[in-house]
Amino acid sequence: MTTRALRDRFGPWAVVTGASSGIGLAMAREAARRGLDVVLVARRREALDRVAGELRARHAIATRVVALDLARPDGATELLAATRDLDIGLLVAAAGFGTSGAFIDSPLDRELEMLDVNCRAVLVLAHEYGRRLAARGSGGIVLLSSMLAFQGTPLAAHYSATKAWVQSLADGLHVELSPRGVSVIATAPGPTRSGFAARANMRMSATVAPDVVARTTFRALGRKSTVLPGALTKLLVYSLLPLPRWARSRIVGAVMRGMTRHQTGAG
């Protein structure tokens, strides 16, 4: 979708969560590059202020900074209130994080925090912004899935489950909201060069750049229900799809063992 076409169809404002770094930052930059005014959402106000200044200077667009934690029960509702006065045409729910290692060894409060950010906040935002977009008869929703969404993943069992939830939600909403003028897409990247690996305590070698994820997603918005950004992601997903789920889980689990071997002192 071209720069002007995106604003004409979805504009004028995009809400981007996780906008201070990684894929969220790349999504915010891509939205601004295509002429949308951007609401920048993340926990760190100083980082958001820097991004807002960059986008205004480079693209002459308007910005609004909303610093909050989507892991908090009232985080998503605070964001909704902070954007009540804006004509939101696009939601990009890019905030999220992962954990890795044996599920039963992980602190439960950490897993619950991930559930709140990856699923609960996405549910609240997709539900309310989805209503607004359907009422205006146009708009778009981008949900961040993962290549791990397509099978259970040992050593990232709960993370992959949250992304399977996101993928399923996006698949259903794509069909449900399309007749009401709302485009919904799931973007399902593979290993990405961002802060994700460090926070999840994983070591990745081959990765895709966040800006590739953003560009690929925006190009596919309004045309596809799911996009797999980058050649590496496509290779990994398509090579596994013909296999039964149990086989995919074992193969991806072997990859995860390599990414988490350092946690046990084995490498």
Side-chain angles (χ1 to χ4, degrees):
M1 191 172 295
T2 64
T3 300
R4 190 67 222 180
L6 186 73
R7 187 178 180 96
D8 290 345
R9 180 171 176 180
F10 295 152
W13 282 89
V15 172
V16 182
T17 68
S20 62
S21 63
I23 292 175
L25 173 57
M27 292 285 192
R29 286 171 170 163
E30 187 66 16
R33 188 182 74 82
R34 291 169 179 263
L36 297 181
D37 301 324
V38 184
V39 179
L40 302 161
V41 186
R43 294 174 297 170
R44 298 175 293 150
R45 175 170 291 278
E46 289 185 3
L48 291 177
D49 286 340
R50 287 195 298 272
V51 175
E54 171 202 322
L55 298 184
R56 289 195 302 269
R58 183 173 297 178
H59 303 291
I61 54 105
T63 62
R64 178 174 293 183
V65 167
V66 182
L68 52 77
D69 187 354
L70 289 173
R72 291 184 10 240
D74 58 350
T77 54
E78 284 186 17
L79 173 55
L80 294 169
T83 58
R84 186 70 62 186
D85 61 320
L86 300 179
D87 184 12
I88 302 299
L90 179 66
L91 166 66
V92 182
F97 69 93
T99 59
S100 67
F103 172 69
I104 60 173
D105 293 337
S106 178
L108 181 58
D109 59 352
R110 185 69 165 159
E111 299 298 325
L112 289 172
E113 181 186 6
M114 182 171 64
L115 184 66
D116 284 337
V117 176
N118 291 10
C119 297
R120 187 181 187 280
V122 171
L123 172 65
V124 174
L125 297 178
H127 187 264
E128 179 58 26
Y129 285 124
R131 283 182 167 183
R132 296 187 196 180
L133 297 175
R136 74 198 289 275
S138 64
I141 297 174
V142 176
L143 301 184
L144 196 67
S145 178
S146 167
M147 65 161 286
L148 299 185
F150 304 108
Q151 65 281 309
T153 304
L155 302 178
H158 184 211
Y159 172 73
S160 66
T162 67
K163 292 307 180 179
W165 182 92
V166 170
Q167 181 68 47
S168 184
L169 179 66
D171 288 343
L173 292 183
H174 173 79
V175 176
E176 192 173 315
L177 293 179
S178 178
R180 305 185 69 172
V182 181
S183 300
V184 180
I185 189 170
T187 185
T192 305
R193 292 196 293 276
S194 67
F196 175 88
R199 189 171 183 183
N201 194 16
M202 296 165 57
R203 292 178 179 173
M204 299 176 179
S205 52
T207 56
V208 62
D211 62 312
V212 172
V213 177
R215 287 198 308 268
T216 304
T217 300
F218 273 79
R219 282 198 296 263
L221 184 61
R223 299 189 299 109
K224 297 181 179 180
S225 60
T226 296
V227 64
L228 304 171
L232 174 63
T233 306
K234 292 181 177 65
L235 174 64
L236 293 172
V237 172
Y238 290 141
S239 63
L240 291 173
L241 279 180
L243 302 176
R245 285 180 66 92
W246 67 264
R248 299 204 303 267
S249 291
R250 290 185 177 277
I251 292 171
V252 176
V255 175
M256 281 299 302
R257 280 195 296 276
M259 292 182 177
T260 58
R261 186 175 293 115
H262 64 284
Q263 296 179 16
T264 63

